[in-house]
Amino acid sequence: MRLLEEKIKQDGRVLNENVLKVDSFLNHQIDPTLMNDLGKEFSRRFAADGITKIVTIESSGIAPAVMTGLHLAVPVIFARKRKSITLTDDLLTASVHSFTKNETNELAIDRKYLNENDKVLIIDDFLANGQAALALVEMVQQANAKVTGIGIVIEKSFQPGAQKLKEKGLRVESLARISALSNGEATFITEKMEESI
């Protein structure tokens, strides 16, 4: 998605060969117009799949997930990372390790929001090693619901996450695919590059 790539070039900051900082528009301050455009693009890509629910993780996945839910006219569920006194019984749970925060969180979703009739689209802000997406897949499967696809805002294609998900037969749609982070710049995989591989 050219618009997103341009935003990353303009406002993203490459901190090192593994870390891209996009807190000025995605995961701290949020650009609502861009989020709306991302939601439209995800909804276009998954429009024919009969999605009934969208699942994401708090907090950075919520903005693109909500906009996608708006365009697909379906509810959005976010997995909570911290225990809540109101979220205690009959839970779908999984553990996820965050590379950037170097911490492991227990995720939870109330089981009443997902069931075997649901076709679920998972949305997340980044895909690197695939741990967050795999945890969400696990939770959806605990509810006997179907994962229809995974929508990623920014995929770090030089890390193994996308490959892990595809090897499990999961459809992954990433709006920006980064082949490298070096010399302070993000390099993107274009469709032309992919055709020649």
PDB file of all heavy atoms in Angstrom, residues 81-93:
ATOM      1  N   LYS A  81      -4.199  -7.775  27.725  1.00  0.00           N
ATOM      2  CA  LYS A  81      -2.895  -8.243  28.181  1.00  0.00           C
ATOM      3  C   LYS A  81      -2.804  -8.322  29.694  1.00  0.00           C
ATOM      4  O   LYS A  81      -1.966  -9.016  30.227  1.00  0.00           O
ATOM      5  CB  LYS A  81      -1.787  -7.302  27.690  1.00  0.00           C
ATOM      6  CG  LYS A  81      -1.528  -7.378  26.217  1.00  0.00           C
ATOM      7  CD  LYS A  81      -0.391  -6.443  25.855  1.00  0.00           C
ATOM      8  CE  LYS A  81      -0.156  -6.409  24.370  1.00  0.00           C
ATOM      9  NZ  LYS A  81       0.804  -5.365  24.000  1.00  0.00           N
ATOM     10  N   ARG A  82      -3.631  -7.603  30.374  1.00  0.00           N
ATOM     11  CA  ARG A  82      -3.540  -7.581  31.819  1.00  0.00           C
ATOM     12  C   ARG A  82      -4.824  -8.117  32.434  1.00  0.00           C
ATOM     13  O   ARG A  82      -5.892  -7.938  31.885  1.00  0.00           O
ATOM     14  CB  ARG A  82      -3.261  -6.163  32.299  1.00  0.00           C
ATOM     15  CG  ARG A  82      -1.848  -5.750  31.894  1.00  0.00           C
ATOM     16  CD  ARG A  82      -1.541  -4.318  32.139  1.00  0.00           C
ATOM     17  NE  ARG A  82      -0.218  -3.912  31.763  1.00  0.00           N
ATOM     18  CZ  ARG A  82       0.400  -4.121  30.622  1.00  0.00           C
ATOM     19  NH1 ARG A  82      -0.170  -4.838  29.691  1.00  0.00           N
ATOM     20  NH2 ARG A  82       1.601  -3.656  30.364  1.00  0.00           N
ATOM     21  N   LYS A  83      -4.665  -8.718  33.574  1.00  0.00           N
ATOM     22  CA  LYS A  83      -5.847  -9.267  34.248  1.00  0.00           C
ATOM     23  C   LYS A  83      -6.768  -8.132  34.665  1.00  0.00           C
ATOM     24  O   LYS A  83      -6.334  -7.070  35.069  1.00  0.00           O
ATOM     25  CB  LYS A  83      -5.407 -10.060  35.473  1.00  0.00           C
ATOM     26  CG  LYS A  83      -4.555 -11.246  35.135  1.00  0.00           C
ATOM     27  CD  LYS A  83      -5.081 -12.461  35.832  1.00  0.00           C
ATOM     28  CE  LYS A  83      -4.129 -13.602  35.620  1.00  0.00           C
ATOM     29  NZ  LYS A  83      -4.545 -14.622  34.782  1.00  0.00           N
ATOM     30  N   SER A  84      -8.050  -8.414  34.550  1.00  0.00           N
ATOM     31  CA  SER A  84      -9.061  -7.443  34.940  1.00  0.00           C
ATOM     32  C   SER A  84      -9.991  -8.108  35.952  1.00  0.00           C
ATOM     33  O   SER A  84     -10.290  -9.300  35.826  1.00  0.00           O
ATOM     34  CB  SER A  84      -9.851  -7.020  33.693  1.00  0.00           C
ATOM     35  OG  SER A  84     -11.051  -6.385  34.058  1.00  0.00           O
ATOM     36  N   ILE A  85     -10.471  -7.347  36.912  1.00  0.00           N
ATOM     37  CA  ILE A  85     -11.388  -7.940  37.887  1.00  0.00           C
ATOM     38  C   ILE A  85     -12.726  -8.296  37.245  1.00  0.00           C
ATOM     39  O   ILE A  85     -13.484  -9.080  37.794  1.00  0.00           O
ATOM     40  CB  ILE A  85     -11.596  -7.020  39.118  1.00  0.00           C
ATOM     41  CG1 ILE A  85     -12.183  -5.663  38.703  1.00  0.00           C
ATOM     42  CG2 ILE A  85     -10.317  -6.851  39.895  1.00  0.00           C
ATOM     43  CD1 ILE A  85     -12.671  -4.834  39.886  1.00  0.00           C
ATOM     44  N   THR A  86     -12.991  -7.727  36.076  1.00  0.00           N
ATOM     45  CA  THR A  86     -14.253  -8.042  35.387  1.00  0.00           C
ATOM     46  C   THR A  86     -14.086  -9.154  34.355  1.00  0.00           C
ATOM     47  O   THR A  86     -15.060  -9.600  33.769  1.00  0.00           O
ATOM     48  CB  THR A  86     -14.815  -6.791  34.682  1.00  0.00           C
ATOM     49  OG1 THR A  86     -13.876  -6.343  33.696  1.00  0.00           O
ATOM     50  CG2 THR A  86     -15.082  -5.676  35.678  1.00  0.00           C
ATOM     51  N   LEU A  87     -12.854  -9.589  34.110  1.00  0.00           N
ATOM     52  CA  LEU A  87     -12.586 -10.630  33.110  1.00  0.00           C
ATOM     53  C   LEU A  87     -11.916 -11.800  33.832  1.00  0.00           C
ATOM     54  O   LEU A  87     -10.703 -11.877  33.914  1.00  0.00           O
ATOM     55  CB  LEU A  87     -11.666 -10.060  32.020  1.00  0.00           C
ATOM     56  CG  LEU A  87     -11.488 -10.878  30.745  1.00  0.00           C
ATOM     57  CD1 LEU A  87     -12.792 -10.941  29.955  1.00  0.00           C
ATOM     58  CD2 LEU A  87     -10.406 -10.254  29.871  1.00  0.00           C
ATOM     59  N   THR A  88     -12.753 -12.706  34.380  1.00  0.00           N
ATOM     60  CA  THR A  88     -12.201 -13.757  35.236  1.00  0.00           C
ATOM     61  C   THR A  88     -12.632 -15.165  34.868  1.00  0.00           C
ATOM     62  O   THR A  88     -11.891 -16.108  35.076  1.00  0.00           O
ATOM     63  CB  THR A  88     -12.591 -13.501  36.704  1.00  0.00           C
ATOM     64  OG1 THR A  88     -14.023 -13.400  36.786  1.00  0.00           O
ATOM     65  CG2 THR A  88     -11.961 -12.236  37.245  1.00  0.00           C
ATOM     66  N   ASP A  89     -13.840 -15.341  34.339  1.00  0.00           N
ATOM     67  CA  ASP A  89     -14.372 -16.680  34.121  1.00  0.00           C
ATOM     68  C   ASP A  89     -14.552 -16.998  32.645  1.00  0.00           C
ATOM     69  O   ASP A  89     -14.827 -16.111  31.834  1.00  0.00           O
ATOM     70  CB  ASP A  89     -15.738 -16.824  34.814  1.00  0.00           C
ATOM     71  CG  ASP A  89     -15.647 -16.632  36.316  1.00  0.00           C
ATOM     72  OD1 ASP A  89     -14.641 -17.085  36.891  1.00  0.00           O
ATOM     73  OD2 ASP A  89     -16.563 -16.034  36.884  1.00  0.00           O
ATOM     74  N   ASP A  90     -14.410 -18.273  32.313  1.00  0.00           N
ATOM     75  CA  ASP A  90     -14.680 -18.805  30.980  1.00  0.00           C
ATOM     76  C   ASP A  90     -13.931 -18.004  29.903  1.00  0.00           C
ATOM     77  O   ASP A  90     -14.527 -17.396  29.015  1.00  0.00           O
ATOM     78  CB  ASP A  90     -16.191 -18.807  30.719  1.00  0.00           C
ATOM     79  CG  ASP A  90     -16.562 -19.882  29.715  1.00  0.00           C
ATOM     80  OD1 ASP A  90     -15.737 -20.791  29.472  1.00  0.00           O
ATOM     81  OD2 ASP A  90     -17.670 -19.811  29.146  1.00  0.00           O
ATOM     82  N   LEU A  91     -12.615 -18.030  30.005  1.00  0.00           N
ATOM     83  CA  LEU A  91     -11.770 -17.227  29.130  1.00  0.00           C
ATOM     84  C   LEU A  91     -11.049 -18.073  28.084  1.00  0.00           C
ATOM     85  O   LEU A  91     -10.706 -19.222  28.331  1.00  0.00           O
ATOM     86  CB  LEU A  91     -10.709 -16.487  29.954  1.00  0.00           C
ATOM     87  CG  LEU A  91     -11.205 -15.577  31.074  1.00  0.00           C
ATOM     88  CD1 LEU A  91     -10.023 -14.999  31.833  1.00  0.00           C
ATOM     89  CD2 LEU A  91     -12.098 -14.481  30.531  1.00  0.00           C
ATOM     90  N   LEU A  92     -10.808 -17.472  26.950  1.00  0.00           N
ATOM     91  CA  LEU A  92      -9.878 -17.994  25.949  1.00  0.00           C
ATOM     92  C   LEU A  92      -8.544 -17.344  26.288  1.00  0.00           C
ATOM     93  O   LEU A  92      -8.480 -16.113  26.444  1.00  0.00           O
ATOM     94  CB  LEU A  92     -10.320 -17.583  24.542  1.00  0.00           C
ATOM     95  CG  LEU A  92     -11.770 -17.919  24.180  1.00  0.00           C
ATOM     96  CD1 LEU A  92     -12.190 -17.166  22.922  1.00  0.00           C
ATOM     97  CD2 LEU A  92     -11.940 -19.412  24.000  1.00  0.00           C
ATOM     98  N   THR A  93      -7.474 -18.130  26.435  1.00  0.00           N
ATOM     99  CA  THR A  93      -6.198 -17.546  26.854  1.00  0.00           C
ATOM    100  C   THR A  93      -5.030 -18.085  26.034  1.00  0.00           C
ATOM    101  O   THR A  93      -5.097 -19.181  25.472  1.00  0.00           O
ATOM    102  CB  THR A  93      -5.913 -17.826  28.346  1.00  0.00           C
ATOM    103  OG1 THR A  93      -5.830 -19.234  28.537  1.00  0.00           O
ATOM    104  CG2 THR A  93      -6.975 -17.236  29.246  1.00  0.00           C
TER     105      THR A  93
END
